[in-house]
Amino acid sequence: MVAVALGCVGLAVLSACGQAASGGGDSNVKQNEALTQVINPSSATGGVLKLAEAGSPDSTDPGNTYYAYTWNFERLYARTLLSYDPAPGAAGNKLVPDLATGLGQTSPDGLTWTYHLKSGIKFEDGEAVTSQDVKYAIERSANYTTVLANGPTYFLNYLTDPTYPGAYNDPSPDKMGLTGITTPDDTTVVFHLQKPFADFNYLVTQLETSPVPQAKDTGAQYQSHPLATGPYKFQSFTPGKSLVLVPNPQWKQSTDTTRKQLNKEIDITFGVDPSDVDNRLINGSIDLDLQSDGLQPDGRSKALTSSPQNTDAVPASRLWYIALDSKVAPLDNVHCRQAVEYAVDKVAAQTAYGGPLAGGAIASTVLPPTVTGYTKFDDYEALTQPHGDDVKAKQQLALCGQPNGFTVNISARSDRPFEVNAATSVQQSLSKIGIKTDIDQFPTGTYGSDFAGVPNYNQQHDIGVVMYGWASDWPDGFGFLQQIVDSRAIKQAGNSNIEMEDNQQVNQLLDKAANTNDAATRSQIYGQIDKLVMGDATIVPLVYANALLYRNPKLTNVYASQTYGAYDFTQLGVSGS
């Protein structure tokens, strides 16, 4: 809703608000319409969908990925136990069956959750999908620290065997795997929890439940051709360069109410310069930006001038922020971190991310307003003094024993110009209070697995200021907060709690929320957690993210998914190709 309101302000100088301008496409389609309705609905088949991105996925293996856009994209070939209703707006947050016949059946004590698989679902090679394939997929994803470094850690947090070492390190002679998951027959999966978890149905929407046949698992190489259960399968894949998907002949629309199979081919190009991605979008040689972070400044200007009706300012349930690594001196002192909180010029950062329209609103909390549990507060004057408060920042420096400032490094993703620009604005803000920084840049695809998401790397290279962003794993406070503020979620690679937040009260409140069935009470708890984290000053919120996205007018069935903060890739077709 924020994005829609800001969209009119941002476009007022270019055209009548919300009206179509010159530049092609359906003259009846207006800017931002894909936020609330399906654009160009069609069942026509035979098109070629063309996508590109500046970086490359952290992995094409569904069990080894943690970027929101890859979760959105990989659903084209990977099905999960549950999914989300394919609809624009808030309706798209509704949980619906995917592989399963219905939502989970839970025991009165909340410690077991049972799912039954639909009949007739097959892998691309014709083998039937079984409950054992779902169980094994989760077992292999538990191997976070070695073969599969990325992905969330929820299952091991809640299943009855939290120390399970992963499928590749299973020491048991019979290789029974996770005893916290049982499969009484080929179509039944039962999860056994050590403690109740009210959000468990959300958990099984994640790609870790996309089935993998153990006999065909090739470990780290599985990403070169994961066996498809969705409407498309791999035809060819060159890491870092290209991926081609084609229809999966074993997929049946009758078993899948959340996807379509309209394209004869889907072509993805990786490693394209961000400005070139925008140029290709606007000239029609590609259909969407896979990464879905939004147009760059030049592309934004061109699109809003020539064809605003092909753009949508999509609210992303995402926060752009700085993670202050509390294990990197002197940021191990809360007052040094609070100095950074006060010093950062939020307007400059917002401008780097694209301004109010394309970037989003200035943030003062960890939880965005679109996530259940958000409570408005402003402990560091982000809203009242958005250019920063150098006086209070210097007071905090004195309290942390660094009155003249200190030296620390900043990291950012090299193939995200807006993030590099934001890092530069932070660098300038900190220099005003005597904090000297250098900016280290790394590629998106390995940012979590090799650099920013590796605590030892940050500490060894004095990287205490990490540019980062986070989208909700599911649309409530637990789905947003747990992986980034729970100390038990810290991993040695693929870590998302980059700031190394370690507050036992935060952990206890997360556990309380997980064990609380009343939604209103859970919401209050999430607000309390947000307050605690901001008190620890390990996260500097910058912007509640929007993404100004461009859609080729030839696309059919286009709408913005509130869950993924981007267009829903699973519905798309292409007319006239």
Side-chain angles (χ1 to χ4, degrees):
M1 292 188 294
V2 173
V4 177
L6 290 172
C8 291
V9 175
L11 289 173
V13 298
L14 297 173
S15 64
C17 178
Q19 299 300 312
S22 60
D26 185 344
S27 61
N28 294 317
V29 175
K30 301 174 184 177
Q31 196 259 359
N32 278 341
E33 279 201 338
L35 302 183
T36 57
Q37 59 185 286
V38 178
I39 306 299
N40 300 330
S42 174
S43 58
T45 60
V48 176
L49 178 64
K50 297 179 180 179
L51 310 171
E53 69 160 309
S56 59
D58 50 352
S59 176
T60 52
D61 183 336
N64 191 34
T65 180
Y66 213 171
Y67 279 121
Y69 82 91
T70 58
W71 282 17
N72 183 12
F73 162 69
E74 292 183 13
R75 295 181 303 136
L76 288 166
Y77 54 86
R79 297 181 63 178
T80 52
L81 286 175
L82 300 181
S83 187
Y84 294 94
D85 204 11
N93 289 331
K94 178 184 176 183
L95 290 171
V96 295
D98 189 356
L99 293 172
T101 58
L103 302 187
Q105 300 168 334
T106 184
S107 60
D109 60 6
L111 295 179
T112 62
W113 289 76
T114 302
Y115 299 85
H116 300 283
L117 302 184
K118 297 173 183 175
S119 62
I121 299 176
K122 297 180 179 180
F123 291 104
E124 64 178 76
D125 62 1
E127 290 294 319
V129 171
T130 69
S131 55
Q132 290 84 9
D133 299 323
V134 175
K135 177 184 178 184
Y136 179 72
I138 298 169
E139 290 171 347
R140 68 190 294 273
S141 294
N143 200 51
Y144 299 111
T145 59
T146 53
V147 181
L148 307 179
N150 301 315
T153 60
Y154 294 111
F155 280 107
L156 288 188
N157 289 345
Y158 290 98
L159 293 175
T160 52
D161 38 1
T163 60
Y164 177 72
Y168 307 126
N169 294 321
D170 190 342
S172 61
D174 51 8
K175 302 293 183 184
M176 285 186 62
L178 279 164
T179 58
I181 304 176
T182 55
T183 53
D185 54 54
D186 284 348
T187 62
T188 304
V189 186
V190 184
F191 295 88
H192 304 272
L193 310 187
Q194 53 185 298
K195 51 192 173 184
F197 184 31
D199 277 357
F200 197 80
N201 272 326
Y202 284 117
L203 180 52
V204 300
T205 66
Q206 295 185 344
L207 288 168
E208 291 164 294
T209 67
S210 179
V212 176
Q214 184 172 0
K216 298 173 183 177
D217 179 19
T218 54
Q221 298 305 312
Y222 189 70
Q223 71 162 344
S224 65
H225 193 130
L227 287 181
T229 49
Y232 299 94
K233 65 176 184 176
F234 280 37
Q235 182 181 73
S236 63
F237 176 44
T238 304
K241 293 185 177 181
S242 64
L243 171 63
V244 177
L245 302 179
V246 294
N248 173 10
Q250 299 295 337
W251 176 83
K252 296 179 181 179
Q253 184 73 77
S254 60
T255 72
D256 192 343
T257 59
T258 66
R259 298 168 183 79
K260 298 182 186 298
Q261 189 188 67
L262 301 180
N263 303 290
K264 65 181 179 183
E265 189 170 295
I266 300 177
D267 296 343
I268 306 101
T269 306
F270 306 121
V272 180
D273 180 83
S275 296
D276 193 22
V277 172
D278 291 354
N279 289 334
R280 295 187 195 189
L281 278 170
I282 295 168
N283 69 29
S285 59
I286 64 172
D287 301 306
L288 288 178
D289 176 4
L290 179 67
Q291 202 160 291
S292 305
D293 282 332
L295 295 162
Q296 304 302 315
D298 287 347
R300 190 183 312 139
S301 177
K302 292 176 185 177
L304 292 178
T305 300
S306 64
S307 48
Q309 74 276 16
N310 297 333
T311 66
D312 301 281
V314 180
S317 294
R318 177 187 294 131
L319 179 74
W320 295 124
Y321 67 93
I322 303 166
L324 299 180
D325 191 329
S326 58
K327 301 298 182 183
V328 174
L331 292 171
D332 54 352
N333 184 301
V334 66
H335 295 291
C336 283
R337 299 195 298 271
Q338 288 176 334
V340 177
E341 295 272 8
Y342 281 115
V344 171
D345 185 334
K346 299 293 185 72
V347 176
Q350 180 191 48
T351 300
Y353 284 109
L357 169 64
I362 287 174
S364 63
T365 60
V366 178
L367 284 174
T370 52
V371 175
T372 301
Y374 164 79
T375 302
K376 184 176 181 179
F377 61 93
D378 186 17
D379 287 351
Y380 299 102
E381 304 175 338
L383 305 179
T384 58
Q385 295 204 52
H387 289 286
D389 188 332
D390 292 349
V391 173
K392 287 191 176 179
K394 290 178 180 179
Q395 290 172 351
Q396 293 299 320
L397 283 178
L399 290 171
C400 81
Q402 302 286 338
N404 298 316
F406 53 86
T407 300
V408 71
N409 292 325
I410 301 174
S411 71
R413 283 167 279 202
S414 57
D415 47 14
R416 296 189 176 191
F418 62 87
E419 187 166 278
V420 176
N421 292 339
T424 301
S425 78
V426 170
Q427 182 182 51
Q428 292 169 350
S429 294
L430 298 183
S431 69
K432 294 179 181 179
I433 61 168
I435 299 178
K436 300 176 182 179
T437 60
D438 287 325
I439 299 174
D440 297 331
Q441 299 183 38
F442 308 103
T444 291
T446 53
Y447 198 60
S449 60
D450 296 354
F451 302 108
V454 181
N456 286 342
Y457 187 91
N458 292 330
Q459 292 155 29
Q460 290 168 6
H461 294 82
D462 201 29
I463 298 175
V465 180
V466 179
M467 307 303 295
Y468 207 52
W470 191 255
S472 191
D473 285 352
W474 56 82
D476 75 359
F478 195 99
F480 192 94
L481 292 168
Q482 194 272 335
Q483 288 287 295
I484 62 171
V485 302
D486 189 334
S487 64
R488 297 163 296 186
I490 292 172
K491 299 184 291 183
Q492 293 310 303
N495 178 43
S496 299
N497 184 348
I498 292 174
E499 69 279 6
M500 305 295 283
E501 174 72 25
D502 187 4
N503 185 324
Q504 291 306 304
Q505 192 174 357
V506 167
N507 295 353
Q508 290 164 8
L509 284 171
L510 284 166
D511 289 345
K512 182 178 178 181
N515 195 24
T516 299
N517 289 323
D518 181 69
T521 302
R522 289 203 305 271
S523 183
Q524 292 174 355
I525 293 171
Y526 302 140
Q528 294 172 35
I529 294 170
D530 199 344
K531 263 285 197 183
L532 285 169
V533 174
M534 290 304 298
D536 290 339
T538 51
I539 287 177
V540 183
L542 297 175
V543 175
Y544 303 128
N546 288 346
L548 186 67
L549 303 182
Y550 186 95
R551 44 181 157 79
N552 190 328
K554 293 168 58 178
L555 288 172
T556 62
N557 308 306
V558 190
Y559 65 86
S561 163
Q562 191 173 107
T563 303
Y564 295 100
Y567 298 124
D568 187 342
F569 294 123
T570 66
Q571 307 300 304
L572 297 173
V574 182
S575 63
S577 62

